Amino acid sequence: MTLSTRATPAVRSSRVLGLLSGAACCLALTLMAAPLRADDNQVIAKVNGAEIRQSDVTAAEKDLGPSLAQLDPASRQDSIVRFLIDLKIVSKAAEDKKIADSADFKRRLTFSRDRLLMDTLLDNEGKAALTDEALKKVYEEASKQISGEQEVHARHILVETEDEAKAIVAELKKGADFAELAKKKSKDPGASDGGDLGYFTKDQMVPEFSTAAFALETGKISDPVKSQFGWHIIKVEDKRARKAPPFEQVKPQLEAFVIRKAQADYVAKLRSEAKVERLDQKDDAAKAADPKAAPAAPAKK
């Protein structure tokens, strides 16, 4: 994994991490919820004799939380209780109309039950994997990968054309202040900071930019450099060996990684043990989709 705490500027390459989004969402909501105490489970309301307890409100908040995030606690509680009251009333009316006996309802109920079981099990697996030892191991492994890697601290000015870039280089050679020119002439979002990009590693920037920046000596200014974003003039402020950020600073990232990896590994294990048949695909495609049907890759010599 990558330990990073800095926002990505316009010239940085994008990275995407595929996750078990449903399970991760459920997990995040669970972690945010406060633990339920015995005295928190009082009866909040009754609907035709059916009780609504505080535990029902807590459970509903996990599902409704995002839509009520802007409300203060009292208003959020009131909105959830009102929803649960309507839920009781309308669901009873649905039962009276025998909606639960329909084939469509039964299919949807089966799916919802399976999804809740999956989310709960993955939630438990993620929690079980979240130990101090696991966090420290991931941190140490990631730290080893980045320790000693070179970082550059640079500023840049970004303009549309090569002629503009050459004119700016000429001004800089005459003694103009780089940061002030960046504020006045750069079209990059970081122009207000004098074009300051902070420290970055080679793979965090588009290739043309990285090649030029890492080739420069500290304090030097580049000739115009073209990238997909336009024309850059780069000034290197400093170079150093990269150090891992403090453990506590990246602990939330470490926790998310450990949880998601544990969940993904668990699903992969269950899938490898299951017999999967894709009847909607041709034989060859179905075999490719079944990891047990595919031959093992030859060992590397």
Side-chain angles (χ1 to χ4, degrees), residues 44-97:
I44 301 297
K46 291 185 178 181
V47 181
N48 297 324
E51 295 179 347
I52 296 175
R53 293 181 172 270
Q54 183 60 43
S55 57
D56 299 319
V57 176
T58 301
E61 187 171 9
K62 293 177 184 178
D63 187 56
L64 302 173
S67 64
L68 304 173
Q70 302 303 318
L71 299 179
D72 61 82
S75 298
R76 184 162 57 248
Q77 169 86 0
D78 180 64
S79 295
I80 295 172
V81 173
R82 288 174 179 272
F83 170 81
L84 291 175
I85 289 171
D86 289 343
L87 184 65
K88 288 286 187 185
I89 294 171
V90 178
S91 63
K92 180 60 172 64
E95 285 183 358
D96 294 342
K97 291 179 177 293

Side-chain angles (χ1 to χ4, degrees), residues 116-126 263 266 270:
L116 182 58
L117 285 169
M118 180 189 76
D119 287 353
T120 303
L121 179 56
L122 292 178
D123 185 357
N124 293 340
E125 290 295 320
Q263 292 170 339
Y266 186 72
L270 293 179

